[in-house]
Amino acid sequence: MKVLAFDTSNQTLTVALTEDNRIVNELITTNNKNHSVTLMPAIEQLMIEAGWQPADLDRIVTAQGPGSYTGLRIGVTTAKTLAYTLRKELVGISSLAVIAANARHKTGLLVPLFDARRQNVYAGVYRWQNHELVNVVPDRHLPVAQLADELSSEKEVLFLGADTVKFLDVLREAAPNAAVNDFSQWDFPRGSILAELGSKAAPIEDIDSFLPAYLKRVEAEEKWLTTHSPGDENYVEKI
């Protein structure tokens, strides 16, 4: 299976081409760039270097969220457009799962997190089990202090993600038995890992209904809801 995978959910941009879980080409950049400008040229360049044509692809995989509102819209919209126009399979994978999957040989609970501002985070709880990444607690938006407190009694916990440095004091005070990742490569997404996770997941049946997993209403949506009754409408679809 030939897979194109990309993650624009946060500051890092990563794109990968894999064939039967073998890395063919991969890009990872942590520079704060405009993903709407850089994503398609990155995909095109990797495809040219690999000697692949769009028709060669079997599956498109994207990080579905949570993460940056704008970044997720770019990634999901691009993935939907490519999958629809090329008539390829589409898969969405949790952005947090991509981070957790970095710590492949770790036992215990893996807790990737992203800064959601105002001392809140997007976080999930994962574990490797029989060589498969298992989601133990669904991805959520919650106060970082609450997250640490919930995990305070666990004996083996590893927090991961580039944003953990912002919450070191809270994490260490509320969950003293937990560890904070200090292997920086594990704090950033890799397109090849996203592709691996995506190759094992079931494709989306209805591409049109595929939406980002924001986990939290953005400010614009909250304002929209003050003057609208959602009913069967969805704010994300509306705009």
Side-chain angles (χ1 to χ4, degrees):
M1 178 188 293
K2 290 186 175 180
V3 175
L4 163 63
F6 47 86
D7 186 339
T8 60
S9 62
N10 286 285
Q11 179 172 316
T12 299
L13 168 66
T14 181
V15 183
L17 304 177
T18 66
E19 183 172 8
D20 300 330
N21 286 328
R22 178 179 60 86
I23 300 173
V24 175
N25 210 349
E26 184 172 28
L27 166 72
I28 305 171
T29 175
T30 58
N31 291 330
N32 189 8
K33 296 182 178 180
N34 187 340
H35 296 330
S36 65
V37 174
T38 56
L39 176 58
M40 285 307 299
I43 292 173
E44 182 178 9
Q45 185 61 37
L46 264 63
M47 294 279 288
I48 291 173
E49 292 174 357
W52 286 14
Q53 298 297 319
D56 296 332
L57 297 170
D58 297 301
R59 179 171 289 192
I60 311 294
V61 181
T62 189
Q64 188 176 1
S68 158
Y69 180 79
T70 301
L72 290 174
R73 283 183 63 84
I74 292 168
V76 168
T77 300
T78 302
K80 290 174 67 171
T81 301
L82 290 174
Y84 181 80
T85 57
L86 298 174
R87 297 185 179 181
K88 304 300 180 180
E89 294 178 342
L90 172 64
V91 171
I93 296 294
S94 162
S95 309
L96 291 164
V98 180
I99 300 296
N102 285 330
R104 187 179 302 271
H105 301 295
K106 283 288 185 178
T107 58
L109 300 179
L110 304 171
V111 186
L113 62 82
F114 302 144
D115 183 10
R117 305 172 72 177
R118 300 175 183 174
Q119 291 298 301
N120 294 309
V121 294
Y122 298 113
V125 181
Y126 294 81
R127 181 196 299 275
W128 281 103
Q129 186 173 315
N130 297 324
H131 306 291
E132 297 290 337
L133 186 67
V134 178
N135 185 206
V136 179
V137 178
D139 297 348
R140 295 176 291 165
H141 171 268
L142 75 168
V144 65
Q146 178 184 335
L147 173 68
D149 183 66
E150 289 179 359
L151 296 166
S152 61
S153 62
E154 296 290 341
K155 295 182 179 180
E156 195 171 359
V157 176
L158 178 64
F159 291 103
L160 304 101
D163 291 334
T164 53
V165 66
K166 301 178 182 180
F167 306 108
L168 287 179
D169 292 342
V170 176
L171 296 175
R172 287 171 174 166
E173 180 179 352
N177 295 326
V180 177
N181 176 55
D182 59 3
F183 187 60
S184 63
Q185 288 90 330
W186 288 357
D187 285 332
F188 299 94
R190 287 195 59 178
S192 56
I193 288 181
L194 173 60
E196 180 183 356
L197 295 176
S199 68
K200 299 176 181 178
I204 302 298
E205 293 185 4
D206 181 8
I207 292 177
D208 287 340
S209 67
F210 181 63
L211 297 173
Y214 295 120
L215 301 189
K216 174 187 178 295
R217 291 192 179 111
V218 296
E219 184 177 353
E221 182 176 5
E222 291 175 346
K223 290 181 179 178
W224 182 80
L225 287 171
T226 63
T227 56
H228 294 76
S229 297
D232 293 329
E233 291 181 317
N234 181 290
Y235 171 80
V236 177
E237 294 174 329
K238 191 76 175 175
I239 63 172

